[in-house]
């Protein structure tokens, strides 16, 4: 979706001066950006550049040392996320937000079936009709191209790519408006990665999802992200439209990053 | 004081400890279904034998009380007999097997068939008090889940049962919601007994000795067994009736009677069964071998 097609002037997420310090060391510092509904923003940088710290702060997993995070809620309009009570924050994370982790084992319940994994968020918000929960689970498994007859299998019997798709299904079941993804394609082989990316691109478009996508893989952001933040040692050194940043990098670090891609 | 108990305070525990436990009980009664931590003491019996229940009973009991102790519904099993003797020795109380005569009933794994009445106290022994333990191993996290009423995950386990077995396969320690607020483990009673928890006229106290928790259902508390709208809560039923007393409405145990696969079903509540037999003019049930 291009800038001109944005549905409204109101950003979904407004980040200002977001910083996280671990004692004297910096996790991330002075990060500013707006995320609009339906927009995918990519955060790239090498290991240790503060990508995951930033994601944890944005998704309210970690309290930042400074800065503000304002989210445009469905019911109450823009609210400062860290002024919400813990109960409200946890509820937000279970309903209007999604969090896809790099390792699907961390984001899934490995001891219960795929159907129960997808249905968990529904039950958490009060769904109490088994038939309906199962029907919704079937729908989302189909959306993520998981065969219907795997609904009663445990995630441990799934391949890595399927586990990742199951984790995404589990997050999308409450129809969130904002999804945080931490290296969603990490650890998958390239053909599986390609399929997952195709699927993600379709879902993001169909569902009008806003996405914060953290990755070190520039190919992934090239395909999915509308805009990019390039991070180095906790600071955002460059940001802009994805094609612009990747094709005409201005900052020396970005230039180095872009030129490090192995040509096939 | 009885010579057997010489050197011990009344009801074994010292008065300070009893006051501490009573405070925990009062708090538990004030917040139905909430697990109140308490300073559980070493008791002269191993964990798993009812140390939580014994401490609750010891904190409550007085010389005018009449105590009944049951284990799996029976008054004559080792655990029941030893706890009954213990309190007869250290608290000099009258004991009984008749449910309606008792003022305090300490129990493990059953609620008596004879309906409890106002003024009676049922003390249940609890091995694991935390209903969310299966889903969440961290204590700090389960407390947070209770505080924020995040109980959706409990339904995940019921969903899993339905998906795997076509029915909710949990038959004992079936989770309940107390007054629409706290999720509670009713201790390992069969789900057959869950309806007896709902709006019971008797006070019910739950003691977990090893886990150091006390929780309570005050009289007439609303207790709802978890279920799905399209798969409602159901209790066990039997094809058979009790071989000894013919009861159709009680919880039955299956007893193997020979090496050739012979079996019979008998009431698990021995007091209920014995008195039904007596009313039918049957000979002393002990002569029939009673219950295994």
């Amino acid at each position: 979706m291009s800038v001109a097609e944005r549905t409204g002037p109101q950003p979904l997420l407004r980040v200002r001066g977001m910083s996280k310090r671990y004692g004297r060391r910096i996790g991330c510092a002075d990060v500013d950006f707006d995320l609009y509904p339906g927009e995918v923003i990519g955060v790239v940088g090498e290991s240790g550049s503060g990508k995951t710290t930033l994601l944890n702060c944005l998704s309210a997993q970690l309290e930042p040392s400074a800065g503000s995070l304002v989210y445009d809620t469905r019911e109450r309009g823009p609210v400062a996320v860290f002024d919400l009570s813990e109960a409200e924050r946890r509820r937000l994370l279970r309903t209007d937000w999604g969090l896809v982790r790099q390792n699907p084992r961390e984001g899934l319940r490995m001891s219960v079936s795929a159907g129960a994994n997808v249905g968990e968020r529904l039950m958490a918000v009060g769904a109490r009709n088994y038939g309906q929960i199962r029907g919704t689970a079937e729908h989302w498994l189909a959306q993520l191209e998981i065969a219907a007859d795997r609904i009663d299998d445990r995630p441990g019997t799934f391949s890595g790519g399927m586990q990742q798709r199951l984790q995404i299904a589990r997050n999308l079941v409450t129809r969130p408006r904002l999804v945080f993804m931490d290296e969603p394609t990490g650890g998958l082989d390239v053909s599986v990665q390609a399929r997952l990316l195709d699927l993600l691109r379709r879902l993001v478009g169909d569902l009008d999802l806003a996405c914060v996508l953290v990755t070190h893989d520039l190919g992934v952001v090239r395909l999915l992200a509308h805009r990019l933040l390039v991070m180095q040692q906790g600071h955002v050194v460059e940001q802009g439209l994805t094609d612009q940043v990747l094709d005409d990098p201005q900052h020396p670090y970005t230039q180095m990053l872009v030129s490090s891609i192995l040509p096939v | 004081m009885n010579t057997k108990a010489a050197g011990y305070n009344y009801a074994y525990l010292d008065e300070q400890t009893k006051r501490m436990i009573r405070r925990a009980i009062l708090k538990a009664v004030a917040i139905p279904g909430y697990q109140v931590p308490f300073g559980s003491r070493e008791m002269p019996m191993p964990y798993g034998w009812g140390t939580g229940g014994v401490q609750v009973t010891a904190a409550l009991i007085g010389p005018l009380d009449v105590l009944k102790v049951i284990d799996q519904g029976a008054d004559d099993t080792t655990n029941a007999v030893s706890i009954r003797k213990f309190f007869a020795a250290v608290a000099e109380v009258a004991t009984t097997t008749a449910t309606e005569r008792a003022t305090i009933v300490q129990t493990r794994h059953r609620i008596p068939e004879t309906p409890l009445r106002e003024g009676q106290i049922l003390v249940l022994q609890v091995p694991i008090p935390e209903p969310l333990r299966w889903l969440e191993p961290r204590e700090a996290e389960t407390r947070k889940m209770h505080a924020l009423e995040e109980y959706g995950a409990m339904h995940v386990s019921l969903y899993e049962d339905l998906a795997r077995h076509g029915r909710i396969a949990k038959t004992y320690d079936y989770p309940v919601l107390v007054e629409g607020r706290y999720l509670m483990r009713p201790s390992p009673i069969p789900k057959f007994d869950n309806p007896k928890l709902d709006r019971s006229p008797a006070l019910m106290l739950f003691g977990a000795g090893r886990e150091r928790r006390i929780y309570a259902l005050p009289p007439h508390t609303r207790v709802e067994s978890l279920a799905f709208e399209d798969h409602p809560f159901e209790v066990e039923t039997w094809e058979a009736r009790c071989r000894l007393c013919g009861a159709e409405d009680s919880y039955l145990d299956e007893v193997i009677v020979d090496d050739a696969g012979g079996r019979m079903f008998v009431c698990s509540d021995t007091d209920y069964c014995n008195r039904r037999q007596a009313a039918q003019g049957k000979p002393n049930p002990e002569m029939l071998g009673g219950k295994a």
Side-chain angles (χ1 to χ4, degrees):
Chain A
M1 191 179 292
S2 72
V3 178
E5 285 169 4
R6 279 175 195 155
T7 48
Q10 187 79 276
L12 193 61
L13 196 67
R14 182 183 286 264
V15 185
R16 289 291 177 271
M18 178 76 74
S19 302
K20 176 69 188 174
R21 285 185 194 82
Y22 301 105
R24 286 171 55 206
R25 265 173 300 166
I26 293 172
C28 63
D30 299 323
V31 178
D32 298 328
F33 69 91
D34 289 338
L35 179 68
Y36 286 85
E39 188 180 36
V40 178
I41 199 159
V43 181
V44 295
E46 61 193 7
S47 293
S49 61
K51 305 188 299 284
T52 300
T53 296
L54 176 63
L55 190 84
N56 286 340
C57 289
L58 294 176
S59 58
Q61 311 272 304
L62 200 62
E63 188 143 8
S65 318
S68 77
L69 179 67
V70 175
Y71 177 70
D72 185 15
T73 57
R74 280 183 218 245
E75 303 85 15
R76 291 159 51 192
V79 292
V81 172
F82 287 98
D83 289 348
L84 294 172
S85 70
E86 189 174 10
E88 290 170 313
R89 267 207 304 275
R90 284 168 71 119
R91 189 171 179 80
L92 197 60
L93 200 58
R94 277 204 315 262
T95 54
D96 224 16
W97 290 4
L99 178 63
V100 177
R101 296 174 192 274
Q102 176 175 8
N103 184 350
R105 290 177 169 270
E106 289 170 21
L108 291 171
R109 263 183 213 287
M110 299 304 285
S111 58
V112 300
S113 65
N117 266 290
V118 179
E120 177 170 353
R121 275 176 163 234
L122 294 173
M123 293 183 254
V125 295
R128 292 292 178 264
N129 187 304
Y130 175 76
Q132 283 170 12
I133 292 166
R134 202 172 164 81
T136 313
E138 277 168 0
H139 168 78
W140 281 103
L141 290 177
Q143 286 287 306
L144 272 296
E145 298 176 5
I146 296 172
D149 62 354
R150 301 302 300 272
I151 188 170
D152 292 332
D153 293 344
R154 293 188 189 197
T157 67
F158 286 13
S159 68
M162 278 174 81
Q163 286 182 3
Q164 196 55 283
R165 278 179 281 147
L166 179 62
Q167 195 193 177
I168 294 166
R170 169 183 160 90
N171 274 283
L172 295 184
V173 70
T174 49
R175 295 193 165 270
R177 293 192 297 162
L178 173 57
V179 176
F180 301 96
M181 295 197 196
D182 189 2
E183 304 271 10
T185 56
L188 301 177
D189 66 58
V190 281
S191 62
V192 175
Q193 257 189 39
R195 272 183 56 207
L196 185 66
L197 287 173
D198 270 355
L199 196 58
L200 278 176
R201 195 153 56 158
R202 179 170 64 74
L203 286 170
V204 164
D206 288 355
L207 303 170
D208 202 22
L209 279 179
C211 224
V212 177
L213 174 69
V214 162
T215 182
H216 59 255
D217 188 335
L218 295 180
V220 171
V221 288
R222 169 82 86 177
L223 277 171
L224 281 177
H226 303 122
R227 279 196 298 141
L228 273 193
L229 301 182
V230 182
M231 291 189 76
Q232 185 192 20
Q233 292 173 3
H235 295 269
V236 175
V237 294
E238 184 164 356
Q239 58 174 309
L241 297 175
T242 303
D243 291 345
Q244 182 193 324
V245 173
L246 293 183
D247 295 339
D248 183 19
Q250 300 295 312
H251 191 275
Y253 175 72
T254 318
Q255 291 169 354
M256 190 275 287
L257 205 62
V258 170
S259 64
S260 319
I261 301 175
L262 293 176
V264 179
Chain B
M1 181 168 268
N2 190 319
T3 49
K4 276 190 281 185
Y8 289 105
N9 188 32
Y10 180 77
Y12 187 76
L13 293 174
D14 62 276
E15 292 305 311
Q16 280 298 338
T17 300
K18 285 197 250 178
R19 285 171 66 178
M20 175 269 292
I21 295 174
R22 285 174 198 145
R23 277 198 295 270
I25 293 173
L26 286 174
K27 183 168 179 182
V29 169
I31 318 171
Y34 173 74
Q35 300 167 45
V36 182
F38 79 110
S40 180
R41 299 291 190 251
E42 290 279 336
M43 296 303 283
M45 60 178 66
Y47 287 129
W49 285 57
T51 52
V54 164
Q55 289 177 80
V56 170
T57 303
L60 297 171
I61 208 161
L64 299 179
D65 275 311
V66 181
L67 179 71
K68 171 182 164 78
V69 185
I70 48 177
D71 172 13
Q72 306 270 10
D75 291 277
D76 53 5
T77 49
T78 314
N79 197 213
V81 170
S82 63
I83 292 175
R84 195 162 54 229
K85 279 188 178 162
F86 174 74
F87 280 113
V90 299
E92 300 155 49
V93 289
T95 59
T96 181
T97 59
T99 302
E100 68 275 8
R101 279 195 57 221
T103 55
I104 299 175
V105 181
Q106 182 173 332
T107 177
R108 169 175 182 262
H109 293 198
R110 278 311 308 280
I111 295 174
E113 305 290 357
T114 310
L116 298 171
R117 58 177 159 71
E118 208 144 320
Q120 287 182 307
I121 300 175
L122 187 71
V123 178
L124 290 107
Q125 304 169 194
V126 180
I128 300 169
E130 180 50 69
L132 298 165
R133 186 60 69 235
W134 180 89
L135 305 152
E136 175 53 65
R138 291 168 296 178
E139 176 70 15
E141 186 65 16
T142 55
R143 286 200 204 185
K144 196 171 274 181
M145 289 163 86
H146 280 293
L148 302 177
E149 270 184 90
E150 286 183 3
Y151 294 145
M154 197 73 224
H155 270 87
V156 173
S157 72
L158 303 182
Y159 172 98
E160 192 63 9
D161 264 8
L162 280 168
R164 196 159 296 170
H165 309 293
R167 67 194 162 84
I168 296 173
K170 199 157 181 52
T171 53
Y172 66 95
D173 216 346
Y174 192 100
V176 294
L177 197 64
V178 179
E179 280 291 335
R181 177 60 182 87
Y182 280 101
L183 189 68
M184 188 188 94
R185 268 180 112 132
S187 87
I189 58 172
K191 64 179 176 181
F192 181 88
D193 286 342
N194 270 24
K196 296 177 192 165
L197 298 169
D198 187 28
R199 297 178 178 86
S200 162
L203 170 64
M204 299 194 176
L205 300 173
F206 299 77
R210 178 171 30 206
E211 303 275 327
R212 300 181 173 150
R213 295 288 183 277
I214 287 173
Y215 50 103
L217 295 174
H220 310 292
T221 303
R222 189 158 49 87
V223 178
E224 181 193 342
S225 302
L226 298 189
F228 286 100
E229 287 160 4
D230 45 350
H231 289 268
F233 174 74
E234 283 170 351
V235 299
E236 301 94 328
T237 54
W238 290 263
E239 304 275 305
R241 48 169 65 189
C242 173
R243 177 82 66 85
L244 301 178
C245 75
E248 288 178 310
D249 57 348
S250 79
Y251 187 84
L252 300 181
D253 284 343
E254 187 178 9
V255 182
I256 308 288
V257 291
D258 55 30
D259 289 341
R263 60 195 59 196
M264 66 174 183
F265 286 91
V266 293
C267 292
S268 99
D269 186 336
T270 52
D271 168 54
Y272 182 74
C273 194
N274 289 346
R275 281 185 302 145
R276 274 179 57 90
Q277 291 175 65
Q280 291 160 16
K282 291 196 176 168
N284 182 354
E286 302 300 331
M287 301 301 289
L288 293 170
K291 207 182 73 113

